Structure formats: structure tokens, C-alpha cells
Amino acid sequence: MASSWARLPAASRLPVGLRHALTFWRRSIQARVVVSTVLLSAAVVGVVGWFLLQQTRDGLLENRVDAVLAEVGSETGEADERLQAAINLNLDAVGQQRDLVQPIISRGETRGFAVVLAGPVGADPTGAGATYTPWLDRDSVPDSLVRHFATSSSIAWTYTELTRLDERGEAVSSEPGVVVGSQVRLPADGETYTLYFLFPLSEEEDTLALVTRALLTAGALLLVLVAGVTWLVTRQVVTPIRLARRVAERLAAGRLQERLRVTGEDDLARLATSFNQMASNLQRQIRQLEELSRVQRRFVSDVSHELRTPLTTVRMAGDVLHDAREDFDPVTGRAAELLQTELDRFETLLVDLLEISRFDAGAAVLDLDDVNLVDVAHRVVEATRPLAAQRDVVLLVEAPDHPCLAEADVRRVERIVRNLVTNAIDHAGARHPGGPVEVVVRVAADDHAAAVAVRDHGVGLAPGESAMVFNRFWRADPARARTSGGTGLGLSISLEDTHLHGGWLQAWGRPGEGAHFRLTLPRHAGASLRRSPIVLIPDDAVETV
């Protein structure tokens, strides 16, 4: 079971729904255009939206930082003024720290920012001596900013993550923020302390989220609009093409009266007009060819039948002359023999023409029976041995010991094999005059088909001739005479007989390497062929690069 599953094509192992979707994708140019346009539009909208979001984000942060720096500057200035006013007061350092930070903390409660007073210089803002907003986690002050004030007194700022604490000192929320550091000097102890102002960016974050949602909504609506517009536009182009395809399929099926409906004067209308003109011309030419073919077939049939009566009379007179040739002088006796030979060829040609006429008229029928192709091959070889001996050709049969049966018309099958063998003798003897040459007849069968192949080592076939060899009266070398008495219709009749059985008749050949003809018949009448038990290219063929 697993091995049979592995042998299945990859497409057949997919789920049915996915296979249908892939088939629709391959066949629908409208779907491909719409999807491609939507994907490209999505990429463009994504890039533009990302750029707008970056610009909006940078603008919001820049405005917020400017406002924060201005507010910190104002708070620091007020703090300096209060400290300067407290120089003459008898306050200790702790009292000045409290008077410095408490007003700022109170304002921060109402304005939404937090404060940490760390000092003196180099002190950790998370240490015990720091004063800060109660709900603030002092770890929100970045270490990089603390290190900055250890070596510099200039105002500095950076982004941070602002964490809020509850009454038990546990973190309850976290949000992005901006921390600004500034230093002040306390008159009480002369030490420099650092003030850290922490401002949340929740409003900017909400604004950015709102802008993001707006851009996503607008982008989605835009993609839907683009998909709809693309679908409508492509439908205007694809619908006439689909109609043309359907009409073309009906024309191919033989309904030559089908035409496209022409509306408007645009390019598609002109295309429909040209298509209809082409269909009309094809219909007229096909009818002319059909009429010509009918007349030709009628002519061949009539002539063939009409020639039988005078041929019978000439045959009777020729037989009389041929029987009395011993009483004639040598020249007249030879003429009587030639007359008899040519009458035989003429009668064979007439029989072949009548057979072709029956095929053309569709009057040929099969007399089916179980035929052993091994016996057929031996009978044909025995019947053609005298001709092979004249051409110095040796006939060999390679067949299995068991019967190779096929449900077929034995008379027609024998005619096919006889035509193939005589054709091989004719060409093999022409290639090797004066020396023995072999023609091998192979027979094989499997569960579905039976085959007979004839291999010769004669002149072979040039590229392209393997298909033309079955044409009526076609000859590979028109200058070479027919020595086997052929009419030029044998392979054509063989092909018609093969098609009547639902089989294959194929040829392979190379110049100088001979030819290989293969007849393949289904074991049972009406069955379809998928393969042949004999390969078309023989094993002794020279491989070419």
C-alpha cells in the first residue's frame, strides 16, 4: 500500500480541495491577475504604511521630548530659585531636600510624571538616601543615565520602561517613558544632587496605536477596493476571451457554424470579427476539402469497380497467351510472361484500391476471434521465404513457447505482418546485395497487449520519415524500383487495419542502421493501450549523443 502511494504523482496525493484550487489557479487568468495585483498593492501599502508610521512615531516622540525638556527646565529653574532663596535660612540638608522635592512630586502627581532625587553625585537612585515618587519603581532609571552624571553635569535624557508599584511594592503596570536627568546644588551641604524626571509616553503610544489602526483599516479597504476594481477590469477582458475559447472548442468539435457575437468597435470587437472571418474561411475550406475528398474517394471506388470487368477479360486472354508461351518465339514468349507479371501487379493494386475505398467509406468491419500471433508470424515467414531467398535474406522468428493471444481479425493481422515482412525484405536486400542479411520477426505479449515487431538492417529511415512511411504511395527513394511487387499502399492499408483494431503501428529507423516496425494490439477488443511488450527502439541500435 505504501509503495503504491509513493508511485502516485505528487499532484494526485494532494487533498481534493487543494487540487481543485490549484486547477482553478492554473486555468483562471482573472484569478492570477487579481491575486497578483492585490499582493503587489499590499506590498506597496505595507511599505507606505510602515514609512508613515515611522514618521508619525518619530514626530510624536520628538514633540514629547521637546515638551519634556521644556518642563524639566522650568522645574529645575524653579528649584534653583527656591534654593537660592533658602541660602539665608537655617535649614539642614535633609530639610532642603524635602523642600526641593516635595513640590515637584506634588505637581508630578497631577501632571502624570515621577521624580527621583539622588545624591550626592554618584549616588545610586535606588539607594536609601533617595527621595522619590511613592508609586515609582526606581529601577526605571537606566544605569546609562546614572553613569552619565557620574562624569558630567549637563542635562541628559533617554528612553526607558516606566514601572508602577502598588502599596505592597509589587509591579502592577509597565509603559514606555522618557527620563530626563538634571543636577542641582544644595546650599546646606554644598553637595550636588541629581533629579530624575520620568514622563510616561502612554498618550503617544495610544496616538500611535490609533494611527496604526487607521492605516490598517484604510489599507484593508484599499486592498478590497483594488481587488474589486481589478476583478471588474479583468472581467471585461477575460469574459470575451472565455467566450472565444468556448466557441473555439465547439469549432474543434466539428460545429463549424459557431460564431462569436460582436458588440462595439474596440479591439476585442475587432478580434471577434477577425475570429469569425477565420472560422468562416476554415469552414469553407474544410467543406471544399471534404467535397474534394468525397469526390476523390468516389472516383477511386468507381474506377476500381469499373476496371474489374476489363481486367477479367484481359486476365483471361493473358492466361491463354501465358499457357501457350512455349509455342511462341522467344521474344513473344517473354512478352507473354511480362504481361502475366504486370497483370498480377495490376490486380494486386486494384484489390488494394478497393480496400482503401472501403476504409474511406467506413465500410470495413472486423471478424474477431482469438488469434495467436506466434502462429501468424510463422505462417507469414513460411509464405515469404521464397521471396526472401531471391533477395538473399534470412528470415528468423523470435517468439515465446506459449501462445500470444489477441482478440483480432486474423485475415487483417496476417496482411499487416505480411506487409511488414515483405517491406523489410525489400529494403534489407537493397542494402546488402550479394550477401546474406537477417530480418528478425519478434512476438511478445503481456496482460494487456500483444505485439509483433519486424527488424531489418537495410537502408533505414531518415529523420521525419518514420511518420511519412505510412502515407499512401510514399517511397523513401523514388528513384529505386520496387522489386517485391509492392503497390505503395501496403503500409497505408496496414495502418488502417491497425486503427480498426484500436492498436498501434509504429516505425523507427536510422540511415544505415535499418528499420524497426512494431504492431501492438490490445488483448481484448475495445481495450485501450498504455504500453507495448516490445520496445520501439531496438536493443542493437547504436546510441547517438
Side-chain angles (χ1 to χ4, degrees):
M1 184 68 179
S3 60
S4 62
W5 172 263
R7 286 195 299 268
L8 291 174
S12 63
R13 296 198 295 264
L14 296 174
V16 176
L18 183 56
R19 289 206 304 270
H20 290 169
L22 291 176
T23 302
F24 176 75
W25 173 261
R26 290 195 306 269
R27 295 182 177 179
S28 176
I29 187 174
Q30 186 176 11
R32 293 200 300 272
V33 170
V34 171
V35 172
S36 300
T37 304
V38 170
L39 291 178
L40 291 175
S41 301
V44 173
V45 170
V47 171
V48 173
W50 176 83
F51 177 77
L52 292 177
L53 284 176
Q54 292 298 317
Q55 293 295 316
T56 303
R57 175 179 173 275
D58 294 342
L60 290 173
L61 292 178
E62 183 177 354
N63 291 335
R64 181 56 173 167
V65 169
D66 291 341
V68 164
L69 292 177
E71 188 168 356
V72 169
S74 175
E75 292 290 343
T76 304
E78 291 182 6
D80 286 336
E81 291 179 358
R82 288 199 304 273
L83 291 175
Q84 291 297 328
I87 291 177
N88 297 324
L89 297 178
N90 188 14
L91 294 176
D92 57 6
V94 175
Q96 285 191 348
Q97 290 180 31
R98 184 177 57 254
D99 292 342
L100 171 64
V101 176
Q102 288 302 326
I104 301 177
I105 292 177
S106 299
R107 285 192 295 272
E109 293 289 346
T110 59
R111 298 181 185 179
F113 64 86
V115 180
V116 176
L117 175 62
V121 175
D124 187 357
T126 61
T131 306
Y132 56 93
T133 303
W135 53 262
L136 176 67
D137 183 359
R138 288 175 290 170
D139 288 332
S140 301
V141 179
D143 294 337
S144 58
L145 194 60
V146 175
R147 291 193 299 270
H148 168 78
F149 286 107
T151 58
S152 176
S153 60
S154 61
I155 190 172
W157 66 275
T158 187
Y159 295 111
T160 187
E161 192 72 20
L162 197 151
T163 304
R164 295 177 180 269
L165 304 177
D166 58 11
E167 296 178 353
R168 294 174 296 179
E170 297 179 357
V172 293
S173 64
S174 180
E175 57 185 323
V178 177
V179 55
V180 182
S182 178
Q183 289 188 332
V184 294
R185 185 180 178 85
L186 291 183
D189 56 7
E191 293 290 343
T192 300
Y193 291 78
T194 305
L195 275 171
Y196 296 98
F197 297 84
L198 294 94
F199 295 85
L201 295 175
S202 55
E203 294 183 1
E204 286 73 17
E205 189 177 36
D206 294 341
T207 303
L208 188 62
L210 177 62
V211 173
T212 302
R213 288 194 299 270
L215 286 176
L216 289 176
T217 304
L221 293 177
L222 180 61
L223 291 179
V224 172
L225 179 61
V226 168
V229 171
T230 306
W231 183 80
L232 290 175
V233 172
T234 54
R235 184 183 180 187
Q236 295 179 357
V237 178
V238 171
T239 299
I241 296 177
R242 287 177 177 169
L243 294 176
R245 174 184 60 81
R246 293 168 186 166
V247 173
E249 290 174 350
R250 298 189 190 106
L251 288 174
R255 299 166 59 180
L256 301 178
Q257 73 280 0
E258 291 289 334
R259 296 294 183 271
L260 286 174
R261 185 176 62 183
V262 180
T263 56
E265 299 179 356
D266 55 9
D267 291 336
L268 292 175
R270 294 168 61 186
L271 175 62
T273 302
S274 301
F275 183 90
N276 291 338
Q277 293 175 353
M278 177 190 69
S280 299
N281 293 334
L282 287 176
Q283 183 182 17
R284 183 172 60 256
Q285 294 179 8
I286 290 174
R287 287 178 176 174
Q288 291 176 354
L289 291 174
E290 289 177 346
E291 181 64 21
L292 179 62
S293 178
R294 186 188 65 80
V295 172
Q296 184 182 19
R297 291 196 300 269
R298 180 67 179 272
F299 173 77
V300 172
S301 178
D302 291 345
V303 169
S304 301
H305 283 87
E306 292 297 329
L307 285 177
R308 293 192 66 85
T309 299
L311 177 62
T312 302
T313 304
V314 174
R315 164 65 72 180
M316 293 173 61
D319 290 341
V320 172
L321 293 176
H322 187 265
D323 292 340
R325 67 185 182 280
E326 300 295 337
D327 300 331
F328 300 150
D329 58 88
V331 175
T332 305
R334 178 59 179 163
E337 292 178 354
L338 292 176
L339 177 62
Q340 188 74 5
T341 302
E342 294 304 318
L343 281 175
D344 291 339
R345 291 188 62 184
F346 185 51
E347 189 172 15
T348 302
L349 175 61
L350 192 59
V351 171
D352 288 346
L353 286 175
L354 288 173
E355 189 68 20
I356 287 291
S357 300
R358 281 191 287 270
F359 281 122
D360 291 339
V365 294
L366 293 175
D367 184 11
L368 297 177
D369 196 3
D370 288 335
V371 178
N372 185 2
L373 297 187
V374 176
D375 295 341
V376 171
H378 283 289
R379 286 198 300 268
V380 171
V381 166
E382 291 300 324
T384 54
R385 282 195 191 279
L387 176 62
Q390 293 177 7
R391 302 302 307 277
D392 204 7
V393 174
V394 178
L395 297 178
L396 300 176
V397 177
E398 294 182 0
D401 297 332
H402 57 82
C404 296
L405 299 177
E407 192 175 353
D409 189 330
V410 63
R411 179 181 66 87
R412 296 182 185 276
V413 172
E414 283 193 13
R415 180 166 62 188
I416 297 172
V417 178
R418 184 171 59 252
N419 285 333
L420 296 181
V421 172
T422 55
N423 182 73
I425 293 172
D426 190 20
H427 289 82
R431 172 74 190 280
H432 301 278
V437 63
E438 292 183 352
V439 170
V440 181
V441 181
R442 293 184 178 89
V443 184
D446 58 20
D447 295 337
H448 303 283
V452 178
V454 180
R455 173 74 165 111
D456 69 72
H457 296 276
V459 295
L461 296 173
E465 291 182 351
S466 58
M468 299 172 60
V469 73
F470 298 105
N471 294 344
R472 299 177 184 181
F473 300 107
W474 184 86
R475 297 172 67 181
D477 185 5
R480 183 170 58 83
R482 294 186 184 274
T483 58
S484 62
T487 63
L489 294 173
L491 292 180
S492 300
I493 295 175
S494 299
L495 184 63
E496 296 291 346
D497 283 333
T498 304
H499 289 167
L500 202 60
H501 286 84
W504 298 339
L505 183 58
Q506 299 160 299
W508 170 93
R510 286 183 188 154
E513 295 186 32
H516 190 224
F517 287 80
R518 182 183 68 182
L519 168 67
T520 307
L521 299 176
R523 292 288 301 271
H524 304 284
S528 59
L529 289 176
R530 295 188 297 271
R531 61 183 180 274
S532 177
I534 300 178
V535 295
L536 181 60
I537 301 177
D539 297 334
D540 57 355
V542 179
E543 295 185 1
T544 58
V545 180

